[in-house]
Amino acid sequence: MNEYTRREEVRATFIASAILVLCIAVAVLRLVTVEGRLVPDPGARRQAEESEARIAPARACALAGEKLVVEIDLFKTAAKSARMPTPGEEPPAPPITKTRAQRNPPPKPKEPDKQGAWASAQPLYKQVKTLSGCREATEALLGARVSAIPAWDAIAKAAAITPPGAAEGEQFEAAKQLLSLLADIPADKVAQATKDAEAAYRANAERDRERALTAMVREPLPQGVFSRRVAVSVGVGLTVCALLISYLGVRAASMRRLATLLPLRDAVRSGRPGVQAAEILKTAAAHNSGEPGIVIGAAIGGLSAALLAPKDADLFVAGVMAGLLIGLGAQWAFRLAIGASRWRARATELAEVEKPAIPIVLVLSGVKPGLEPEFIQFLRSLPPADAAAAVEKLASQAEERILAAADAGAAFAPGKPPPG
């Protein structure tokens, strides 16, 4: 800034800067503090659904555990009826008899009933297969219970038995193997563990269901073309660039005025005072420099976007850019509206700096109010020499009118008779 910077330009730059700082500060604060709306927590709902889904398998395990105890007793009874040897039982040794006894041997023991052995073992085998997949989930929830470990191990071995074919011998051997593994296991411990696991799963499902009804989370903000941080930075950067352009425009205009008017001070000393006065009038006719309109427009546009749609940071950039264009249009509309109404004040302000030999006030008094645009256009159309002559003539005419009015006033002074 220098002495050729207009007061209007300084005032407009200051006002635009203040509006920019206030608007962008509010906009950025709004953008960085905005949060998504509260919505039901999908994670809590998903957890509740998963907990609910675990109840059915836990219930199946608990039922299988209860049935295992019953089926073991039933199978042991059936095995005894079928004369199936119990675990650890050895077949009886042939009796040693005397010669007469050999001539009259005792009756042979009855053979085991192999036909229904596997049929009676199948219900137990079914429960074993079901329970073989329950151990991991039960121990993960309740921990490994030492008293139930032998039963779980036996169940795992029994589940690994391959179902026999149609041959009675294979079926009988499979049934014997199943009986040897499960006859003496603590099945009630497994049944209690699966029952406790079911109760725990139900309690967890109830807890997760209640939590899902009340749990709320913030909805994530939408991701636009830019990330939120980049969008805010771009928008603020555009407003700062607008302010810098406006400031540089004011400075460039003041430097042009300096470069134009400063050399003309020599014209006064060389006997051409009208050249300096004419150039002052032409320079004063130029509109204010700088672009306060784009600064104010960008600030208001960014603030409006941040207040109306704070969740979408891309709209902040769009609002700033739209404000730049709208502000530029509003600025030029304002300049056209004021026209040449500020020409006299601007010319007087420059005259205070340059102090021309021809008083600008005299020249301005020769221009009728309301005809300023026509006079400016006329002055610009003249060559520099003719413009200087026209300004000198206007000043001379104004001076003559002032002198004539002074003479007339002196002639009618109080106590002095009028002439003639």
Side-chain angles (χ1 to χ4, degrees), residues 13-330:
T13 301
F14 175 77
I15 293 174
S17 301
I19 293 175
L20 175 67
V21 171
L22 292 175
C23 291
I24 296 304
V26 174
V28 171
L29 182 63
R30 177 59 175 156
L31 290 171
V32 300
T33 57
V34 67
E35 295 178 329
R37 63 190 180 92
L38 283 172
V39 295
D41 186 0
R45 288 190 172 186
R46 185 167 54 253
Q47 180 66 31
E49 292 172 357
E50 293 175 356
S51 297
E52 192 72 27
R54 294 190 187 102
I55 294 179
R59 179 57 182 163
C61 291
L63 289 175
E66 292 176 358
K67 291 181 179 179
L68 178 68
V69 177
V70 176
E71 294 297 339
I72 288 177
D73 292 337
L74 293 175
F75 182 52
K76 288 168 69 175
T77 302
K80 185 176 182 181
S81 300
R83 295 179 295 281
M84 188 182 301
T86 58
E89 180 182 357
E90 296 294 337
I96 300 175
T97 58
K98 296 180 180 181
T99 304
R100 183 172 298 191
Q102 289 179 353
R103 288 196 301 266
N104 300 301
K108 294 182 179 180
K110 294 182 179 181
E111 292 292 329
D113 182 9
K114 298 181 179 181
Q115 187 174 4
W118 183 248
S120 61
Q122 279 185 327
L124 176 59
Y125 184 71
K126 180 181 178 181
Q127 307 308 321
V128 166
K129 295 294 285 186
T130 301
L131 284 170
S132 64
C134 299
R135 181 177 185 177
E136 182 178 355
T138 302
E139 291 186 346
L141 184 64
L142 303 178
R145 294 183 176 180
V146 177
S147 59
I149 290 178
W152 283 118
D153 293 340
I155 289 171
K157 293 178 182 179
I161 296 175
T162 303
E168 288 185 357
E170 293 181 12
Q171 293 182 353
F172 186 73
E173 291 300 324
K176 279 174 55 178
Q177 190 177 359
L178 193 65
L179 179 63
S180 66
L181 289 172
L182 301 177
D184 298 322
I185 66 170
D188 58 328
K189 304 299 182 182
V190 172
Q192 186 62 43
T194 54
K195 185 176 180 180
D196 293 344
E198 180 192 7
Y201 277 121
R202 289 186 181 279
N204 291 343
E206 182 64 25
R207 180 199 62 203
D208 292 340
R209 186 162 49 246
E210 292 178 357
R211 179 175 175 270
L213 295 176
T214 58
M216 305 291 284
V217 294
R218 291 285 179 183
E219 190 177 38
L221 297 175
Q223 180 70 27
V225 178
F226 304 104
S227 68
R228 193 164 194 82
R229 180 176 298 180
V230 171
V232 173
S233 301
V234 170
V236 174
L238 288 174
T239 60
V240 173
C241 289
L243 180 61
L244 183 61
I245 290 171
S246 179
Y247 173 79
L248 293 178
V250 172
R251 178 168 177 77
S254 65
M255 296 303 294
R256 283 197 304 271
R257 295 181 194 122
L258 174 64
T260 300
L261 297 176
L262 190 60
L264 294 179
R265 293 178 181 179
D266 295 334
V268 177
R269 292 190 289 269
S270 61
R272 295 178 297 162
V275 175
Q276 184 188 30
E279 194 60 39
I280 289 174
L281 294 175
K282 291 180 182 179
T283 303
H287 59 71
N288 282 337
S289 212
E291 303 295 338
I294 66 173
V295 178
I296 297 174
I300 295 178
L303 177 62
S304 301
L307 294 179
L308 295 176
K311 296 180 181 179
D312 192 346
D314 287 346
L315 291 181
F316 174 64
V317 180
V320 170
M321 297 178 69
L324 288 173
L325 298 177
I326 295 173
L328 182 62

